[in-house]
Amino acid sequence: MDKNSKEWNEEVLYLDKTKKVIDKKIEKLNFDIAQSKQTVEELRQYYVDGTQIFGDLDNAEMVSVNQVINENIDLANNNIDKANLLIRNRQRPYFGRVDFTTDKKDEIKAYIGLTGVEENNNYYVIDWRAPIAELFYEHGLGKAKYTIPDGTVSGNITLKRQYDINNGELLDCFDVDANLFDEYLQKVLSKINADHLHNIAATIQSEQNEIIRNLKDDLVIVQGYSGSGKTTVALHRIAYALYRLRDLKSANILLFTLNEAFMSHIEGVLPELGEQNTRSATLAKFVGRLLKITKNIEENQEFLTRFVNSTEQERVEIQAKLDLSIKEKVKDWCENFVATRKVENGFKVQNKGFTAEMLNDLYAKLDDEKLFPRLNKIANAICAKLKVTKLLAVKRIVFDKIYECFNVPRSLEDIYKLFCADLGFKAYTGEKIYTEDAILMCLIKENLSDMMIKMDIRHIVIDEVQEYPLLFIDFLLRAFPRAQFSVFGDKYQRTNPTGIDDLQKIIDLKAIFGTSKLYNLDNTYRSSEEIVEYCSKLIGNPRHNVFRYSNGQKVEELPLADNNVQVASQILFILEKEIAQNGTIGIITGSEASAKEIYHEIAQVCPHKISLIDSADSLAMEQIQILPVSLCKGLEFNSVIVVNDGGLFESILGDNLEYIACTRAINKLYVLKKNV
C-alpha cells in the first residue's frame, strides 16, 4: 500500500486509536491490581491484630477474612495475566481485517487479532477464534457466510487485508483475495526464528483452520508431513476449544509429547494465545502415575535405542507384547486368574476363625466385582465383624491374610511376573521397566482393578502419534471414554517399529466415538525449497508441496572426518559461518554417546554457549544445541548440522531417522556423511 495514500493514513490512525484503548485498559487493570494488593495487606494486618493483639476474632470471622484475602489474591493474579497479555498484544494488536456486508445490508468492519479489544461495546479487535473470524480464514472476496449459535450470517466480503505490525508500528499492508495470503505468508515465513514454536494465528491456512475449529467430531486425526504445522495446529486447536467451550479449562486437557525438550520448545504458544499451558505427559510419566510405580519407566528414545540393539529373538518378543492382539490374551489370562482363586485354608485373627468355605462363599457372591475390589470388600467385611475398622495394625493383618489365602500378590509387578511366565515370555526382573511391560501392566490393572484416574480430563491431544503402539492408544480410548481426542502424526516419521504405520487404524480400533474425521496436511511450511527437495528424496516421496520459496542456500553434503576430534573441528568451522545469523543451530548425531563426545570436544574451545540434550528430561536452553537423532522429533532449528556418524543412522530405521534429522532445518542444512 502507498504510504502517502489516504487509506494508509486511516490505517495508521486506527492503529493509534486501538493502542490508546489498550493503554487505558492496562492502566485500569494496574489500578485494580494495586487496589487488590492494598486490600490484602489491610486484611492481613486486621487478621494479625485480631488474633494476636486483641484476640477478638472468632473462628467464623477468621475463615471469612482468609476467604476474602484469597479472593483478592486470585483477582490480582487474574488481572496481572490480563495486563501482561495486553502489553504483549499492544506490540501487534491485530494482523488482519475483513469488511463484510450482510444480506440485510449491515456493514461490518472486523480487525482480527490474538485477543479481543473492546470499549463501550465498540470492538476495536476481534479475537481470531470468534465466529466472524471464519470469514478471514475461509473466504476470498465475494459471497461468504459464517456460523453463529443462532444460525448462519450470509453476505459479501468487500475487503480482506493483512498487516505487518511490529512494536506498535504499522510497517506494511497487504490487500488479499484468497486465503493463501502468498506475499504476506512468504514474508512471515522468512522471519521465522526457531528458538521456540510461535503462534500462527495470522497465517492459518484453510486446511489448518478446518482442523482447528472442528469441535463436533469426537475423534480428529491429522496425518501431516514434516513442517506442515501439525504441532502448531494442535496447540491452536486447544486454544480454540478453551475459547469456545466455556466450561473447559486448561486442567481438563492432557497433551502427550515425546520428551521434555519438546515441551520447552512449545511452552510459549498457548500463553501467546491468551491461554494457560495444559497438563502434559510422556507415555512413561503417564503410565508411572497410573501404576503408582516409583521406578523409572523407559522413555521413547531409550526404547528406540534398545530395540535397534536387540537380538532378533528379543525384537520378536517386544513386538508380540505390543501387538494389539495381545489385548485379548491379557483379558483371557486375567479372567482365568480370577476364576481360579480358591482358598484352601482359613485363618484366625484375634482368636476368631474364618474358614476357607466362608471366604470362598464371600468371593463367589462378589463375582460382579473385579479382583482387587472384591478382595478388599471381603477384608473390610471381616474387619467389620471383628469391629476393628479403626485399628490400622489389625486391618493390615486382615488384608494381608486375605491376599495370602487367595494367593494374590499385593504388587502389580509380581502379578505381571506370573503373566509373563504363563505366556512364555522372558522372566520379568523389574530392574528397568521397559515400555512394553509398562503398557501390559496397565492392561492387567484395567482388568483386575477399578481404574482410578484422578484427573478430570475431557480432551486428549497426542502429538507424534505414530510413535505410540496402537495397543496404548486403544487403552487410552477406554481409560478416557468421555474425552475428545485429537491426534497428530506422520507415518513417514515413524521411528518406533511397534508404532502406528497408518493413522486410519485409530479410527478402526472400535466404535467408541460418535463421529471421527481424518485430515491430511500436504503442504510444508517449515523448510526452504532446497531443504524440502533434499529431504523428499531421502524417503522417495514426491508429494511434499513446499510452500516456502527458494532461499538460495543449497544443502551442503560434506565428507565426515575419521574421528570425533576432527568432526568437532568441522562443526566449529561451520558454526563460525552460522552463528552470526543469530538463529538456533542444531547439531544432530547418530547416538547419545557421540553427542556427548562431540559436545565435550566443542565446549572446550567454542566461545559460544552450547546445550547438550541427552535425555528426555533435558531442556533446550542455548542457541547451539547438540542432541542425538532419537531426541530431535518435533524440534526445529534455523540451521542444522547432521553428523551421520553411524549409531541409529545405520540401524534398521536409518532412512527414516536421517529424514527426520534433516527436516529439522528451516534455512540451512549441512550433512556430514561418509562416501560423499
Side-chain angles (χ1 to χ4, degrees), residues 205-212 214 220-230 233 487-492 501-504 507 517-525 541 543-545:
Q205 303 299 288
S206 180
E207 73 275 13
Q208 297 171 329
N209 185 58
E210 183 180 350
I211 297 167
I212 290 168
N214 178 2
V220 168
I221 302 175
V222 179
Q223 155 65 42
Y225 289 124
S226 174
S228 60
K230 295 185 298 297
V233 168
V487 299
F488 299 77
D490 179 14
K491 60 185 178 182
Y492 294 104
D501 58 359
D502 183 356
L503 273 59
Q504 174 66 37
I507 295 178
K517 187 158 186 178
L518 174 64
Y519 293 91
N520 287 285
L521 293 178
D522 295 336
N523 292 329
T524 177
Y525 301 93
N541 174 34
R543 288 190 59 216
H544 278 71
N545 299 321

Side-chain angles (χ1 to χ4, degrees), residues 403-669:
Y403 276 80
E404 181 183 340
C405 286
F406 282 97
N407 194 23
V408 176
R410 296 295 295 269
S411 164
L412 185 62
E413 287 185 85
D414 288 337
I415 292 179
Y416 183 64
K417 289 178 184 178
L418 299 175
F419 171 81
C420 288
D422 287 348
L423 269 73
F425 292 134
K426 182 180 177 181
Y428 171 78
T429 64
E431 294 175 7
K432 175 79 175 184
I433 302 182
Y434 294 143
T435 300
E436 62 272 21
D437 297 321
I439 293 175
L440 286 177
M441 277 190 254
C442 286
L443 268 64
I444 289 174
K445 182 172 183 177
E446 175 191 13
N447 280 277
L448 297 183
S449 181
D450 294 330
M451 295 290 290
M452 294 295 292
I453 300 177
K454 296 180 180 179
M455 294 185 289
D456 181 17
I457 299 300
R458 282 178 269 163
H459 198 137
I460 290 180
V461 180
I462 306 174
D463 198 32
E464 305 288 357
V465 71
Q466 76 281 351
E467 298 302 295
Y468 295 82
L470 198 61
L471 182 69
F472 179 69
I473 303 300
D474 184 58
F475 170 75
L476 284 181
L477 297 180
R478 294 192 305 278
F480 298 96
R482 291 180 296 277
Q484 191 173 36
F485 277 74
S486 303
V487 299
F488 299 77
D490 179 14
K491 60 185 178 182
Y492 294 104
Q493 295 186 70
R494 186 170 73 113
T495 62
N496 183 341
T498 67
I500 301 169
D501 58 359
D502 183 356
L503 273 59
Q504 174 66 37
K505 291 180 179 179
I506 300 173
I507 295 178
D508 298 337
L509 281 176
K510 60 185 298 187
I512 191 171
F513 293 100
T515 54
S516 57
K517 187 158 186 178
L518 174 64
Y519 293 91
N520 287 285
L521 293 178
D522 295 336
N523 292 329
T524 177
Y525 301 93
R526 175 190 297 140
S527 306
S528 68
E529 186 175 350
E530 292 88 344
I531 293 171
V532 172
E533 289 181 355
Y534 179 88
C535 294
S536 296
K537 293 176 183 177
L538 293 175
I539 58 171
N541 174 34
R543 288 190 59 216
H544 278 71
N545 299 321
V546 56
F547 208 87
R548 291 190 65 188
Y549 294 155
S550 168
N551 65 2
Q553 300 188 57
K554 293 182 178 180
V555 175
E556 295 188 37
E557 287 188 341
L558 305 169
L560 182 69
D562 294 331
N563 57 64
N564 282 337
V565 175
Q566 295 174 334
V567 170
S569 296
Q570 286 182 293
I571 293 173
L572 284 168
F573 179 75
I574 296 172
L575 288 179
E576 287 306 311
K577 293 193 296 182
E578 294 298 322
I579 198 72
Q581 304 300 317
N582 296 319
T584 54
I585 302 170
I587 303 166
I588 303 174
T589 71
S591 67
E592 293 172 26
S594 63
K596 289 178 181 177
E597 289 177 20
I598 292 172
Y599 168 77
H600 289 303
E601 291 292 339
I602 293 176
Q604 295 179 49
V605 294
C606 184
H608 311 286
K609 291 183 178 180
I610 304 173
S611 287
L612 172 65
I613 301 173
D614 60 351
S615 74
D617 295 324
S618 300
L619 298 179
M621 302 296 291
E622 307 297 346
Q623 180 184 3
I624 304 171
Q625 299 162 30
I626 300 180
L627 66 162
V629 65
S630 59
L631 285 170
C632 76
K633 292 291 291 295
L635 303 179
E636 56 185 30
F637 306 92
N638 292 87
S639 303
V640 166
I641 305 169
V642 176
V643 183
N644 195 331
D645 53 357
L648 291 177
F649 286 126
E650 291 183 352
S651 71
I652 56 174
L653 306 167
D655 290 343
N656 272 19
L657 288 167
E658 186 178 4
Y659 168 74
I660 291 166
C662 291
T663 55
R664 302 307 95 197
I666 293 175
N667 293 313
K668 182 64 179 179
L669 173 63

